[in-house]
Amino acid sequence: MRWSHRLTAGVAMAVLLSLGGCEGYNPLAYPQAVYRSDLTSEPIPVSPRAAGVSPGEISEQAPPPSFVRAPGTYKFTIPPTVSSFKKSNDQLRQYLLYYGVPAATQKPFLIITVAPTVAPVAKKDPNFRILSTRTFLLNGLPTREWSGYTAQNYPFTELMVSHRAGGDKLDALAIASGKRVRRVALAILKSIRWKSGRGVPAAR
């Protein structure tokens, strides 16, 4: 499940894009005749209190409960063509990403969730038809990938990312609605990485 060598950024991107031979076919890497993203049968509501996130590098980290077993930060980069909103509570942080300025009924093309326990959506939701799975290193992080089509025939890719020291996991679910959205989604997925920090006891 874990490779001993570290993939470069270029190789990681190639892994996300290449699905040939015995590993199956990744529809997210090819043009599709679709016009908007569709996560499930119902739109995901954005809370009015959800905080807007500016484009650029996102460095996210939850407050440690008592002692940080695996201190550090997941990071990823959001381009200026993407609108994003952050929703968080004591258990998770979630980023809803939209291409351009979202309309009231628009659904996010990419959802990134970070939490101590997080399960892949595609494995449990019948709206997702999985065509291939793989395990690889994404910027040195053990990663599991599921890809295929939604019930509306929109291509998707979902990544479950973790770091070797344990702690929070990152789940990223991307649904492509066209060439531009696909390229942006893959670029954001490619940018996911982990930066270690020093563990310190939390304030009591």
Side-chain angles (χ1 to χ4, degrees):
M1 296 290 291
R2 298 180 178 178
W3 296 355
S4 60
H5 63 280
R6 178 185 179 90
L7 293 179
T8 63
V11 175
M13 187 62 176
V15 172
L16 291 172
L17 289 173
S18 65
L19 283 159
C22 63
E23 295 189 7
Y25 169 75
N26 187 343
L28 187 59
Y30 297 91
Q32 302 294 324
V34 294
Y35 301 97
R36 69 181 183 86
S37 60
D38 196 324
L39 181 62
T40 61
S41 59
E42 297 294 335
I44 294 180
V46 178
S47 169
R49 295 182 298 171
V53 181
S54 300
E57 182 176 87
I58 301 300
S59 178
E60 76 82 36
Q61 185 176 19
S66 59
F67 187 88
V68 182
R69 177 189 173 198
T73 305
Y74 282 108
K75 293 189 175 185
F76 50 91
T77 302
I78 299 177
T81 54
V82 171
S83 299
S84 59
F85 298 87
K86 179 182 179 181
K87 301 171 69 175
S88 63
N89 56 37
D90 293 339
Q91 299 299 318
L92 63 81
R93 284 84 64 210
Q94 187 174 73
Y95 298 85
L96 309 179
L97 308 185
Y98 301 80
Y99 190 78
V101 179
T105 57
Q106 187 174 338
K107 301 172 186 178
F109 73 91
L110 177 57
I111 298 177
I112 297 177
T113 305
V114 179
T117 57
V118 58
V121 175
K123 290 184 65 176
K124 296 184 177 182
D125 191 333
N127 287 296
F128 294 89
R129 179 165 52 98
I130 299 174
L131 297 183
S132 68
T133 62
R134 67 178 68 234
T135 300
F136 60 97
L137 292 180
L138 174 62
N139 296 321
L141 300 171
T143 301
R144 184 73 171 169
E145 179 193 71
W146 298 266
S147 62
Y149 289 93
T150 67
Q152 294 78 22
N153 288 323
Y154 298 142
F156 78 87
T157 286
E158 183 171 17
L159 302 181
M160 180 69 68
V161 183
S162 61
H163 49 89
R164 300 183 187 279
D168 287 355
K169 295 183 179 181
L170 182 149
D171 178 80
L173 175 61
I175 300 176
S177 61
K179 293 181 179 180
R180 292 181 179 178
V181 174
R182 185 181 67 253
R183 284 196 297 266
V184 171
L186 289 172
I188 295 173
L189 296 179
K190 173 186 172 182
S191 73
I192 295 171
R193 59 199 183 281
W194 172 262
K195 182 177 181 181
S196 298
R198 296 183 60 186
V200 296
R204 295 182 181 275

Coordinates of all heavy atoms in Angstrom, one line a residue, residues 23-27 120-134 144-151 154 156-158 173:
E23 N -4.5 -1.1 -15.2 CA -4.9 -0.2 -14.1 C -6.3 0.4 -14.4 O -6.9 1.1 -13.5 CB -3.9 0.8 -13.8 CG -2.6 0.3 -13.3 CD -1.7 1.4 -12.8 OE1 -2.1 2.5 -12.7 OE2 -0.5 1.1 -12.4
G24 N -6.8 0.2 -15.6 CA -8.1 0.8 -15.9 C -8.1 2.2 -16.5 O -7.0 2.7 -16.8
Y25 N -9.2 2.7 -16.8 CA -9.4 4.0 -17.5 C -9.9 5.0 -16.6 O -10.9 4.8 -15.9 CB -10.4 3.7 -18.6 CG -10.8 5.0 -19.3 CD1 -10.0 5.6 -20.2 CD2 -12.1 5.5 -19.1 CE1 -10.4 6.8 -20.9 CE2 -12.6 6.6 -19.8 CZ -11.7 7.2 -20.6 OH -12.2 8.4 -21.3
N26 N -9.2 6.2 -16.5 CA -9.7 7.3 -15.7 C -10.4 8.3 -16.5 O -9.8 9.1 -17.3 CB -8.5 8.0 -15.0 CG -8.9 9.0 -14.0 OD1 -10.0 9.5 -14.0 ND2 -7.9 9.4 -13.2
P27 N -11.7 8.4 -16.4 CA -12.5 9.4 -17.3 C -12.2 10.8 -17.0 O -12.4 11.7 -17.8 CB -13.9 9.0 -17.0 CG -13.9 8.4 -15.6 CD -12.6 7.7 -15.5
P120 N -14.3 7.6 2.3 CA -14.5 8.0 0.9 C -16.0 8.0 0.6 O -16.7 7.0 0.9 CB -13.7 6.9 0.1 CG -13.6 5.7 1.1 CD -13.5 6.3 2.4
V121 N -16.5 9.0 -0.1 CA -17.9 9.1 -0.5 C -18.2 8.1 -1.5 O -19.3 7.5 -1.5 CB -18.1 10.6 -1.0 CG1 -19.6 10.7 -1.5 CG2 -17.9 11.6 0.1
A122 N -17.4 8.0 -2.5 CA -17.7 7.2 -3.7 C -18.0 5.7 -3.4 O -18.8 5.0 -4.0 CB -16.6 7.2 -4.7
K123 N -17.4 5.2 -2.3 CA -17.5 3.8 -2.0 C -18.9 3.5 -1.4 O -19.4 2.3 -1.5 CB -16.4 3.3 -1.0 CG -15.0 3.2 -1.6 CD -14.1 2.7 -0.6 CE -14.3 1.3 -0.2 NZ -13.3 0.7 0.7
K124 N -19.5 4.5 -0.8 CA -20.8 4.2 -0.1 C -22.0 4.8 -0.8 O -23.2 4.5 -0.6 CB -20.7 4.8 1.3 CG -19.7 4.1 2.2 CD -19.8 4.6 3.6 CE -18.8 3.9 4.5 NZ -18.9 4.4 5.9
D125 N -21.8 5.8 -1.8 CA -22.9 6.5 -2.4 C -23.2 5.8 -3.8 O -22.3 5.7 -4.7 CB -22.5 7.9 -2.7 CG -23.7 8.8 -3.1 OD1 -24.6 8.2 -3.7 OD2 -23.6 10.0 -2.8
P126 N -24.4 5.3 -4.0 CA -24.7 4.6 -5.2 C -24.7 5.5 -6.4 O -24.8 5.0 -7.6 CB -26.1 4.0 -5.0 CG -26.7 4.9 -3.9 CD -25.5 5.3 -3.0
N127 N -24.7 6.8 -6.2 CA -24.6 7.8 -7.3 C -23.2 7.7 -8.0 O -23.1 8.3 -9.1 CB -24.9 9.2 -6.9 CG -26.3 9.4 -6.5 OD1 -27.2 9.3 -7.4 ND2 -26.6 9.7 -5.3
F128 N -22.3 7.0 -7.4 CA -20.9 7.0 -8.0 C -20.7 5.5 -8.5 O -20.8 4.6 -7.7 CB -19.9 7.4 -7.0 CG -20.0 8.8 -6.6 CD1 -20.8 9.2 -5.5 CD2 -19.3 9.8 -7.3 CE1 -20.9 10.5 -5.2 CE2 -19.4 11.1 -7.0 CZ -20.2 11.5 -5.9
R129 N -20.3 5.4 -9.8 CA -19.9 4.1 -10.3 C -18.4 4.1 -10.5 O -17.8 4.7 -11.3 CB -20.6 4.0 -11.7 CG -20.2 2.7 -12.4 CD -21.2 2.4 -13.6 NE -21.3 3.6 -14.4 CZ -20.7 3.7 -15.6 NH1 -19.8 2.7 -16.0 NH2 -20.8 4.7 -16.4
I130 N -17.7 3.3 -9.7 CA -16.3 3.2 -9.6 C -15.8 2.3 -10.7 O -16.2 1.1 -10.8 CB -15.8 2.7 -8.2 CG1 -16.2 3.7 -7.1 CG2 -14.3 2.6 -8.2 CD1 -15.9 3.2 -5.8
L131 N -14.9 2.8 -11.5 CA -14.3 2.0 -12.6 C -12.9 1.6 -12.3 O -12.4 0.6 -12.9 CB -14.3 2.8 -13.9 CG -15.7 3.2 -14.5 CD1 -15.6 3.9 -15.8 CD2 -16.6 1.9 -14.6
S132 N -12.1 2.3 -11.5 CA -10.8 1.9 -11.2 C -10.4 2.4 -9.8 O -10.9 3.4 -9.3 CB -9.8 2.4 -12.3 OG -9.7 3.9 -12.2
T133 N -9.4 1.7 -9.2 CA -8.8 2.2 -7.9 C -7.3 2.0 -8.0 O -6.8 1.2 -8.8 CB -9.4 1.3 -6.8 OG1 -9.1 -0.1 -6.9 CG2 -10.9 1.5 -6.6
R134 N -6.6 2.7 -7.2 CA -5.2 2.6 -7.2 C -4.6 3.1 -5.9 O -5.3 3.9 -5.2 CB -4.5 3.3 -8.4 CG -4.7 4.8 -8.3 CD -4.0 5.6 -9.4 NE -4.7 5.3 -10.7 CZ -4.1 4.8 -11.8 NH1 -2.8 4.6 -11.8 NH2 -4.8 4.6 -12.9
R144 N -4.9 6.8 -1.7 CA -5.8 5.9 -2.4 C -6.7 6.6 -3.3 O -7.2 7.7 -2.9 CB -6.6 5.1 -1.3 CG -7.5 4.0 -1.9 CD -6.8 2.8 -2.3 NE -7.6 1.7 -2.6 CZ -7.2 0.6 -3.2 NH1 -6.0 0.5 -3.5 NH2 -8.1 -0.4 -3.5
E145 N -6.9 6.1 -4.5 CA -7.7 6.8 -5.5 C -8.9 5.9 -6.0 O -8.7 4.7 -6.3 CB -6.9 7.2 -6.7 CG -7.6 8.0 -7.8 CD -6.8 8.1 -9.1 OE1 -6.6 7.1 -9.7 OE2 -6.4 9.2 -9.4
W146 N -10.0 6.5 -6.2 CA -11.2 5.9 -6.8 C -11.6 6.8 -8.0 O -11.7 8.1 -7.8 CB -12.3 5.8 -5.8 CG -12.1 4.9 -4.7 CD1 -12.3 3.5 -4.6 CD2 -11.5 5.3 -3.4 NE1 -11.9 3.1 -3.3 CE2 -11.4 4.1 -2.6 CE3 -11.0 6.5 -2.9 CZ2 -10.9 4.1 -1.3 CZ3 -10.5 6.5 -1.6 CH2 -10.4 5.4 -0.9
S147 N -11.9 6.3 -9.1 CA -12.4 7.1 -10.2 C -13.4 6.4 -11.0 O -13.5 5.1 -11.0 CB -11.2 7.5 -11.1 OG -10.6 6.3 -11.7
G148 N -14.3 7.1 -11.7 CA -15.3 6.6 -12.5 C -16.3 7.6 -12.9 O -15.9 8.8 -13.3
Y149 N -17.6 7.3 -12.9 CA -18.7 8.3 -13.3 C -19.8 8.4 -12.3 O -20.0 7.4 -11.5 CB -19.3 7.8 -14.6 CG -18.4 7.9 -15.8 CD1 -17.6 6.8 -16.2 CD2 -18.4 9.1 -16.6 CE1 -16.8 7.0 -17.4 CE2 -17.5 9.2 -17.7 CZ -16.8 8.2 -18.1 OH -16.0 8.3 -19.1
T150 N -20.4 9.5 -12.2 CA -21.6 9.7 -11.4 C -22.8 9.0 -12.1 O -22.7 8.6 -13.2 CB -21.9 11.1 -11.1 OG1 -22.3 11.8 -12.3 CG2 -20.6 11.8 -10.5
A151 N -23.9 9.0 -11.4 CA -25.1 8.5 -12.0 C -25.6 9.3 -13.2 O -26.3 8.8 -14.1 CB -26.2 8.5 -11.0
Y154 N -21.1 12.0 -15.1 CA -20.0 13.0 -15.0 C -18.8 12.3 -14.4 O -18.9 11.5 -13.4 CB -20.4 14.1 -14.0 CG -21.6 14.9 -14.4 CD1 -22.5 15.4 -13.5 CD2 -21.8 15.3 -15.8 CE1 -23.6 16.1 -13.9 CE2 -22.9 16.0 -16.2 CZ -23.8 16.4 -15.2 OH -24.9 17.2 -15.7
F156 N -15.5 11.5 -12.3 CA -15.1 11.9 -10.9 C -13.8 11.2 -10.6 O -13.4 10.1 -11.1 CB -16.1 11.6 -9.9 CG -16.2 10.2 -9.4 CD1 -15.4 9.7 -8.4 CD2 -17.0 9.3 -10.1 CE1 -15.4 8.4 -8.0 CE2 -17.1 8.0 -9.7 CZ -16.3 7.5 -8.6
T157 N -13.1 11.8 -9.6 CA -11.9 11.2 -9.0 C -11.9 11.6 -7.5 O -12.2 12.7 -7.2 CB -10.6 11.6 -9.6 OG1 -10.4 11.0 -10.9 CG2 -9.4 11.2 -8.7
E158 N -11.7 10.6 -6.6 CA -11.7 10.8 -5.2 C -10.4 10.3 -4.7 O -9.9 9.2 -5.0 CB -12.9 10.2 -4.5 CG -12.9 10.5 -3.0 CD -14.1 10.0 -2.3 OE1 -14.9 9.2 -2.8 OE2 -14.4 10.5 -1.2
L173 N -12.8 15.0 -3.3 CA -13.7 14.5 -4.3 C -13.9 15.5 -5.4 O -14.4 16.6 -5.1 CB -15.0 14.1 -3.7 CG -16.1 13.7 -4.6 CD1 -15.7 12.4 -5.4 CD2 -17.4 13.4 -3.9

